[in-house]
């Protein structure tokens, strides 16, 4: 099985399952035009995130790592009209492109982009008393252990925590890796697996983004 085959199957499925959505397509096009890296979730993964949020009945969502707001706009599709999503982004250019994409999608009233290092924004969210039904962690991987700790502070029993890129082409097997992304991901797995407040599992994925995976956890106690 080759990466090309995974990508071809992904594209076959996307053609079948994803009706054209001008706001989502414009967000990808605009991200590309502005030179943002193409590391957004794939279209089918975006719909998977949306379905998770919808199944969960999420009314408040926190995203760590906005980029051009592609995953943001998928997640927001699951929100009820009064629902809210806050997304954290450190790069001013990414935040700007994201805000324009959100405005074009007519979602500015539901989505707030907070500019700054997530580890500075997260304590502010806690001070402001926010609690989220769902947290999607998808920013700098070395900080994933910290992001998980904040996600636990900012959620309640029943909340859902999802983390992107937790397999990294199987790189997580390499305990001796000098790559801080791998080490951050390995620490994340150790924490997710051992945390008594969580019930967690990992879904390995292949497709247009190669071989990777998503961790999915539910908060089972406060
Ligand atoms: N969730 C997006 C992809 C996010 S890519 C999608 O699927 O569409 C990761 C993003 O995290 C990048 O935009 C990067 O600038 C941002 N990021 C990296 N380090 C960060 C930090 N310390 N705080 C907040 N955002 C960060
Ligand atoms: C990278 C980051 C992501 O969030 C992703 O989905 C894929 C790749 C990266 O930093 O390379
Ligand atoms: Mg990602």
């Amino acid at each position: 099985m080759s990466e090309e085959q995974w990508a071809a199957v992904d594209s076959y499925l996307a053609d079948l399952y994803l009706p054209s959505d001008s706001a989502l397509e414009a967000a990808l096009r605009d991200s590309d035009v502005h030179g943002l890296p193409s590391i957004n979730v794939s279209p089918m993964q975006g719909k998977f995130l949306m379905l998770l949020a919808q199944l969960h009945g999420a009314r408040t969502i926190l995203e760590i790592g906005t980029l051009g707001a592609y995953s943001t706009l998928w997640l927001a599709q699951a929100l009820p009209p009064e629902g809210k999503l806050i997304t954290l982004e450190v790069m001013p250019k990414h935040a700007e492109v994201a805000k324009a994409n959100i405005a074009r999608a007519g979602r500015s009233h539901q989505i707030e982009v907070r500019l700054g290092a997530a580890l500075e924004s997260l304590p502010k969210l806690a001070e402001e008393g926010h609690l989220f039904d769902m947290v999607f962690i998808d920013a700098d991987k070395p900080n994933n252990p910290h992001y998980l700790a904040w996600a636990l502070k900012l959620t309640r029993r029943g909340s859902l925590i999802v983390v992107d890129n937790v397999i990294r082409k199987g790189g997580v097997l390499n305990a001796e890796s000098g790559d801080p992304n791998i080490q951050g991901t390995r620490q994340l797995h150790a924490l997710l697996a051992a945390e008594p407040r969580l019930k967690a599992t990992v879904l390995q994925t292949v497709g247009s983004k190669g071989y990777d995976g998503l961790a999915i956890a539910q908060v089972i106690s406060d």
Side-chain angles (χ1 to χ4, degrees):
M1 282 283 201
S2 64
E3 295 234 1
E4 293 83 74
Q5 189 166 21
W6 300 337
V9 172
D10 215 0
S11 146
Y12 158 77
L13 295 172
D15 285 347
L16 277 173
Y17 284 83
L18 304 178
S20 134
D21 180 313
S22 59
L24 286 170
E25 285 156 20
L28 285 187
R29 222 173 22 246
D30 204 54
S31 299
D32 199 43
V33 165
H34 287 89
L36 271 53
S38 308
I39 55 174
N40 49 270
V41 294
S42 71
M44 287 294 272
Q45 288 171 343
K47 190 168 183 182
F48 180 74
L49 291 174
M50 183 269 271
L51 276 169
L52 279 181
Q54 195 169 287
L55 284 165
H56 188 54
R59 305 161 70 89
T60 53
I61 301 178
L62 171 65
E63 176 179 67
I64 308 178
T66 315
L67 193 65
Y70 184 70
S71 53
T72 320
L73 290 173
W74 267 115
L75 285 165
Q77 283 193 12
L79 288 173
E82 72 284 6
K84 287 272 179 314
L85 189 157
I86 298 178
T87 183
L88 311 181
E89 175 55 55
V90 73
M91 302 281 285
K93 185 172 162 191
H94 296 185
E96 231 169 83
V97 171
K99 281 185 201 163
N101 287 335
I102 291 163
R104 192 195 296 102
R107 295 265 181 198
S108 301
H109 60 294
Q110 280 184 311
I111 303 174
E112 182 190 342
V113 181
R114 288 210 183 182
L115 178 63
L119 287 178
E120 287 175 19
S121 300
L122 289 162
K124 290 186 194 130
L125 292 175
E127 277 165 32
E128 292 165 19
H130 288 278
L131 281 179
F132 297 93
D133 297 325
M134 178 173 180
V135 180
F136 177 50
I137 301 175
D138 190 20
D140 48 329
K141 313 311 176 190
N143 275 325
N144 271 346
H146 301 300
Y147 295 151
L148 178 63
W150 278 105
L152 281 163
K153 290 196 180 90
L154 291 165
T155 51
R156 51 170 98 77
R157 185 150 61 91
S159 294
L160 195 59
I161 299 173
V162 179
V163 191
D164 195 23
N165 312 116
V166 299
I167 299 295
R168 311 198 65 90
K169 301 185 194 302
V172 286
L173 287 181
N174 186 2
E176 313 307 325
S177 173
D179 178 350
N181 295 302
I182 298 289
Q183 290 304 341
T185 305
R186 286 180 58 87
Q187 286 165 28
L188 172 82
H189 284 301
L191 292 166
L192 278 172
E195 174 55 61
R197 288 171 289 177
L198 291 175
K199 249 189 194 159
T201 192
V202 174
L203 199 62
Q204 297 191 70
T205 58
V206 295
S208 62
K209 293 199 70 188
Y211 170 39
D212 212 328
L214 287 166
I216 301 172
Q218 187 167 35
V219 180
I220 55 166
S221 68
D222 291 311

